[in-house]
Amino acid sequence: MDQDKLDTLRIKFLCKFMDRGGGTLQELHAYVNRQLEEADSRPVGLRTLQALLEKLRKGQFNHSLQGYSRNHRQGIFKISYRNRIYSWAEDSSKPEFGDLDESERYTLPFLRGILKKYESIPAVSKILDSMPELFGITESEMDSASVVYHGGTELCNDAFHTGEYAGKVIGLAIKILGHINKCEMIEFLYVPVTLQDDQLSKTSYHGFVSPMQIRFYNEYYYLTAIAKDRIVNYRIDLISGLKVDVQTDEEGNSFYFDAKELEKKFRINEHFKYVLGIWNHETDAQVYTINIRFKGWAASYIKKLKFHSTQKISDVDLVNATLTLSFQLKLGKEQYNGQPIEERSPELDFFLGRFGDSVEIISAVPQLM
């Protein structure tokens, strides 16, 4: 810990002592050192303690008002010394260190439990490491994160341990974000989703790809890009070797794209407004209001979850344990008369499949957009 942070920690404990009513220099010394010991920090001597009192008076530490001028800071925090007792002066302000109150303290271990799944992301790892020092949370409090368990599916590969492989995929997604930020075209080898069983012989080259967005859906990371003058989604874990390169000419000069022009032309955000995930329907695909009835356990499961921005719940029947959920979604064109609705939207079919006989599509009404 650098000296500024160390002094701020010590002054924080000094302030806590005076918040309790204050006391003699010896009592103050004993209290601060007990707190430092609990924080796994070395104790201080009396001379250091007196120097910290002076820094407190002058506002020379990290606090919410440190942006004030030096002269102004010197009049904010006032310490009274009477009858050998140190305490806050009646007209003194008290420093704010950004600490959490009691009701908020365990939100950090809870957050740590959530973020643990993504600790392979460098910035997340740094946040996790800095939490105890930044917010003054003890290690014993942070250890409570181990009882917060977030289950679910995880990205894995036979060639790697789960966390290691997922970390590599996330690392590539982060690298692509850099290319998006710089508006650099990229190139890579790719294995189509339907050809995974024969990857080496079916890998194909994709060049002059303009990366636009990273999307996360059903535990997979997708690159949404413009390639060959259309919107394309690439599953990032299927990029061969988890490697992309900047597209360059023969002289090594990078090719760039105009992100604003591509967004204006292809309207990517609007493109995905009426899909459940990342499916690319035809540009002229019709939007329908799809009404779906759920019953029993499926109705109970659906009731408190939101799967899409256009979702609405109606006709809740507590007696028969049913409800109706509606989405506004694009559907593919009917391939034959009476084709089931779910066959015209692979993602809707996937979504409904988990509910078996506890779900049925009531109607699909075309919308005028």
Side-chain angles (χ1 to χ4, degrees), residues 262-304:
L262 291 181
E263 175 57 40
K264 182 178 179 181
K265 179 179 179 180
F266 292 96
R267 304 167 72 181
I268 291 177
N269 289 325
E270 185 173 324
H271 177 83
F272 289 104
K273 184 176 181 180
Y274 299 107
V275 298
L276 270 176
I278 52 87
W279 191 262
N280 279 333
H281 288 281
E282 296 296 327
T283 55
D284 60 348
Q286 174 71 51
V287 176
Y288 291 77
T289 295
I290 302 169
N291 298 297
I292 309 164
R293 180 178 292 120
F294 292 83
K295 61 182 179 181
W297 70 269
S300 177
Y301 177 83
I302 287 290
K303 188 175 181 181
K304 296 294 180 68

Side-chain angles (χ1 to χ4, degrees), residues 155-156 165 169 172 176 188-194 196 199 215 217-224 232-240 242 278:
L155 193 61
C156 62
Y165 180 70
V169 174
L172 178 57
I176 293 172
F188 49 85
L189 298 177
Y190 188 72
V191 184
V193 175
T194 56
Q196 291 182 74
Q199 292 188 8
R215 291 179 173 268
Y217 181 66
N218 278 346
E219 301 303 324
Y220 283 111
Y221 292 89
Y222 294 86
L223 163 63
T224 297
V232 182
N233 290 314
Y234 299 97
R235 226 176 75 188
I236 291 179
D237 63 298
L238 295 182
I239 293 177
S240 183
L242 296 180
I278 52 87

Side-chain angles (χ1 to χ4, degrees), residues 55-61 63-79 88-96:
K55 285 189 174 185
L56 172 58
R57 288 190 181 98
K58 294 181 177 180
Q60 295 177 351
F61 59 98
H63 57 90
S64 61
L65 303 177
Q66 65 189 84
Y68 287 4
S69 68
R70 177 177 295 183
N71 289 337
H72 191 175
R73 288 202 310 265
Q74 289 186 10
I76 299 175
F77 310 121
K78 301 175 183 178
I79 300 172
W88 291 118
E90 290 184 2
D91 60 343
S92 176
S93 298
K94 296 181 181 180
E96 295 182 6

Side-chain angles (χ1 to χ4, degrees), residues 45-320:
L46 280 172
R47 294 181 66 178
T48 299
L49 188 66
Q50 289 171 324
L52 291 170
L53 281 167
E54 188 63 20
K55 285 189 174 185
L56 172 58
R57 288 190 181 98
K58 294 181 177 180
Q60 295 177 351
F61 59 98
N62 296 324
H63 57 90
S64 61
L65 303 177
Q66 65 189 84
Y68 287 4
S69 68
R70 177 177 295 183
N71 289 337
H72 191 175
R73 288 202 310 265
Q74 289 186 10
I76 299 175
F77 310 121
K78 301 175 183 178
I79 300 172
S80 170
Y81 180 66
R82 292 180 182 177
N83 300 322
R84 303 176 65 182
I85 300 295
Y86 288 89
S87 63
W88 291 118
E90 290 184 2
D91 60 343
S92 176
S93 298
K94 296 181 181 180
E96 295 182 6
F97 297 92
D99 289 350
L100 303 174
D101 62 33
E102 192 65 28
S103 65
E104 296 171 322
R105 291 184 70 80
Y106 282 97
T107 61
L108 287 175
F110 188 82
L111 179 60
R112 187 187 219 181
I114 295 173
L115 293 178
K116 192 75 176 171
K117 183 176 181 180
Y118 304 101
E119 63 182 340
S120 59
I121 301 175
V124 172
S125 179
K126 287 185 178 180
I127 290 170
L128 291 175
D129 290 342
S130 66
M131 274 184 179
E133 181 180 318
L134 185 62
F135 294 100
I137 301 293
T138 65
E139 282 302 321
S140 61
E141 287 176 303
M142 291 306 292
D143 284 345
S144 63
S146 63
V147 301
V148 180
Y149 178 75
H150 294 268
T153 54
E154 293 185 60
L155 193 61
C156 62
N157 184 295
D158 291 340
F160 302 98
H161 295 300
T162 302
E164 182 180 354
Y165 180 70
K168 289 177 182 291
V169 174
I170 291 171
L172 178 57
I174 292 170
K175 183 176 186 295
I176 293 172
L177 282 175
H179 297 310
I180 293 174
N181 184 58
K182 297 174 184 176
C183 295
E184 294 173 328
M185 287 187 170
I186 57 176
E187 60 179 352
F188 49 85
L189 298 177
Y190 188 72
V191 184
V193 175
T194 56
L195 301 175
Q196 291 182 74
D197 293 336
D198 192 15
Q199 292 188 8
L200 294 178
S201 62
K202 299 298 183 180
T203 299
S204 58
Y205 171 77
H206 291 253
F208 293 96
V209 174
S210 300
M212 299 293 290
Q213 297 177 346
I214 300 293
R215 291 179 173 268
F216 183 64
Y217 181 66
N218 278 346
E219 301 303 324
Y220 283 111
Y221 292 89
Y222 294 86
L223 163 63
T224 297
I226 304 300
K228 297 182 179 179
D229 205 39
R230 62 189 180 95
I231 298 175
V232 182
N233 290 314
Y234 299 97
R235 226 176 75 188
I236 291 179
D237 63 298
L238 295 182
I239 293 177
S240 183
L242 296 180
K243 178 185 177 183
V244 301
D245 294 305
V246 175
Q247 189 84 52
T248 58
D249 60 22
E250 294 180 354
E251 298 178 354
N253 298 312
S254 300
F255 285 96
Y256 297 92
F257 61 93
D258 189 324
K260 289 184 178 180
E261 283 299 316
L262 291 181
E263 175 57 40
K264 182 178 179 181
K265 179 179 179 180
F266 292 96
R267 304 167 72 181
I268 291 177
N269 289 325
E270 185 173 324
H271 177 83
F272 289 104
K273 184 176 181 180
Y274 299 107
V275 298
L276 270 176
I278 52 87
W279 191 262
N280 279 333
H281 288 281
E282 296 296 327
T283 55
D284 60 348
Q286 174 71 51
V287 176
Y288 291 77
T289 295
I290 302 169
N291 298 297
I292 309 164
R293 180 178 292 120
F294 292 83
K295 61 182 179 181
W297 70 269
S300 177
Y301 177 83
I302 287 290
K303 188 175 181 181
K304 296 294 180 68
L305 296 175
K306 189 162 188 175
F307 300 93
H308 193 262
S309 61
T310 65
Q311 173 178 323
K312 293 182 180 179
I313 289 179
S314 61
D315 300 330
V316 179
D317 185 340
L318 298 179
V319 175
N320 296 304

